[in-house]
Amino acid sequence: MHKTQLIREIWRGTTLTARRVRRAIKIFFLIALFIVLFWIVPIRDVIYALLNADPLYIFLGLILVFPVVFLGAVQLKLLIRRLGISLSVLQILGINLTIKFYMLFMPNAFVGSGLRWYKFSKPDGKTAEALAAVAFNRILDTFLVVVIGLGFWILSGDQVIQKGGIGLVIIIIGTVGFWYVLTRVSLPVYKWFASRFMNYEEESLRYRLVKKTGQLMVAVSTYAEFSVWELLLVITVGTARNLINVVSFLLLAKSVGIELTYIDMGWIQSVVTLTALLPFSIGEGLGYREVSLVAILGTFGISADLA
């Protein structure tokens, strides 16, 4: 078999052998990341930093995880109720916590979306609706992380918009307006897009990109009937989740003596969250998160053992 064909088979193959090879490559890469990390940062120094951490800040930082997870359940409830899926906030919370646990052992973050779709589709048998809700939620979450991260990054340089509440209001209003338009134009745009670009060969990269884009547009268009106020509520809840998460990060950092501003931690947290989406990640970005934190915090003059 030609080398290019072999790589393609390993990367995209659905056979048991291909899946095992991909799994082995991911584990090897993860181990290599940690070997490099602890080669640079002696594990003894990391343990010493943890043992000397302030338990109060650790406790407060971990406590804030619960409202973050709860708001995630509220956000999903707001999305699925329009589709007729009869799950309560507490049921969604239970599903999210269960998936959160199992994701520690799963090959990548996208497996969690599949598990959530399966759980959501069971009560009412609404598989298509559940898929649309999960896909929309994931797209929205990723978009919010990017937008909020960029917003904090702009604020960290004191550019364009003033620090404080007005910047946050502008971000929320802009995001609501963007999604309101996107939900209404995505399907017509996709139909126009597909009529001109879906004639590529099915094995080509262009075809797969167009197909994936189409799937995302269809998921977004499911919410075309959402009013501005419904979108405002969903996006406000999602934004609140991210902002509370930043406080949690800030407190955990402070527990080991890392002093950063809320603004700086905002964009750092977004970058670290996005690393979990990398294709070769395991356990929601395990390894990538640690390496990215060491690299980013190093630019602030923070020692690698604390990072």
Side-chain angles (χ1 to χ4, degrees):
M1 184 182 292
H2 194 274
K3 286 183 179 180
T4 304
Q5 291 177 317
L6 179 61
I7 293 172
R8 184 181 299 156
E9 172 60 25
I10 292 173
W11 182 256
R12 296 177 49 221
T14 57
T15 63
L16 180 61
T17 301
R19 292 199 301 269
R20 284 177 174 174
V21 171
R22 285 198 297 270
R23 178 76 169 176
I25 291 172
K26 289 180 180 181
I27 293 172
F28 172 80
F29 193 69
L30 176 63
I31 293 172
L33 274 177
F34 277 112
I35 289 174
V36 172
L37 183 62
F38 289 116
W39 188 277
I40 299 170
V41 191
I43 187 67
R44 181 185 66 254
D45 294 343
V46 177
I47 293 173
Y48 179 79
L50 289 172
L51 291 175
N52 286 276
D54 189 322
L56 175 61
Y57 286 121
I58 291 178
F59 174 75
L60 293 174
L62 294 178
I63 283 294
L64 286 177
V65 172
F66 292 97
V68 170
V69 177
F70 179 76
L71 287 174
V74 173
Q75 179 178 317
L76 272 166
K77 175 61 179 177
L78 294 171
L79 293 177
I80 68 172
R81 68 179 182 181
R82 175 60 78 95
L83 301 176
I85 299 174
S86 56
L87 288 171
S88 68
V89 172
L90 289 181
Q91 287 175 314
I92 297 170
L93 180 61
I95 292 171
N96 285 349
L97 288 173
T98 303
I99 292 173
K100 194 77 173 172
F101 172 76
Y102 284 115
M103 280 309 300
L104 295 172
F105 316 102
M106 293 296 178
N108 59 55
F110 292 100
V111 174
S113 295
L115 291 172
R116 192 170 283 109
W117 163 75
Y118 172 73
K119 290 287 188 179
F120 283 9
S121 62
K122 282 182 68 176
D124 306 291
K126 297 191 174 185
T127 54
E129 291 85 351
L131 182 60
V134 170
F136 185 88
N137 187 64
R138 185 160 192 84
I139 298 165
L140 182 61
D141 272 348
T142 304
F143 181 82
L144 285 175
V145 168
V146 172
V147 169
I148 291 171
L150 285 172
F152 275 120
W153 180 73
I154 292 171
L155 291 172
S156 68
D158 209 12
Q159 303 168 11
V160 185
I161 49 180
Q162 201 172 16
K163 292 183 180 181
I166 188 171
L168 180 59
V169 171
I170 291 173
I171 289 173
I172 292 176
I173 292 174
T175 304
V176 171
F178 174 82
W179 279 94
Y180 184 78
V181 172
L182 186 64
T183 54
R184 283 150 179 78
V185 303
S186 59
L187 197 56
V189 168
Y190 168 64
K191 290 178 178 178
W192 174 87
F193 194 65
S195 67
R196 286 162 176 76
F197 299 103
M198 285 297 281
N199 55 351
Y200 296 122
E201 294 182 6
E202 291 194 12
E203 294 298 318
S204 69
L205 177 61
R206 288 180 178 179
Y207 178 86
R208 293 199 300 274
L209 288 174
V210 171
K211 185 177 179 181
K212 182 63 68 175
T213 302
Q215 291 171 344
L216 296 178
M217 287 181 173
V218 170
V220 170
S221 68
T222 305
Y223 291 90
E225 295 181 3
F226 255 41
S227 67
V228 172
W229 295 111
E230 286 175 307
L231 279 174
L232 177 62
L233 185 56
V234 171
I235 289 170
T236 300
V237 169
T239 302
R241 285 179 59 218
N242 281 276
L243 297 181
I244 295 172
N245 216 18
V246 174
V247 178
S248 177
F249 265 61
L250 201 62
L251 290 169
L252 292 172
K254 193 173 179 64
S255 72
V256 293
I258 295 175
E259 297 290 343
L260 289 171
T261 67
Y262 182 79
I263 298 295
D264 285 328
M265 184 56 80
W267 67 262
I268 291 172
Q269 186 261 351
S270 292
V271 172
V272 173
T273 301
L274 290 172
T275 59
L277 302 179
L278 292 172
F280 262 54
S281 65
I282 293 179
E284 290 195 303
L286 183 64
Y288 289 102
R289 296 172 302 186
E290 289 73 19
V291 170
S292 62
L293 267 175
V294 170
I296 295 170
L297 294 182
T299 64
F300 287 84
I302 295 167
S303 62
D305 55 322
L306 293 182

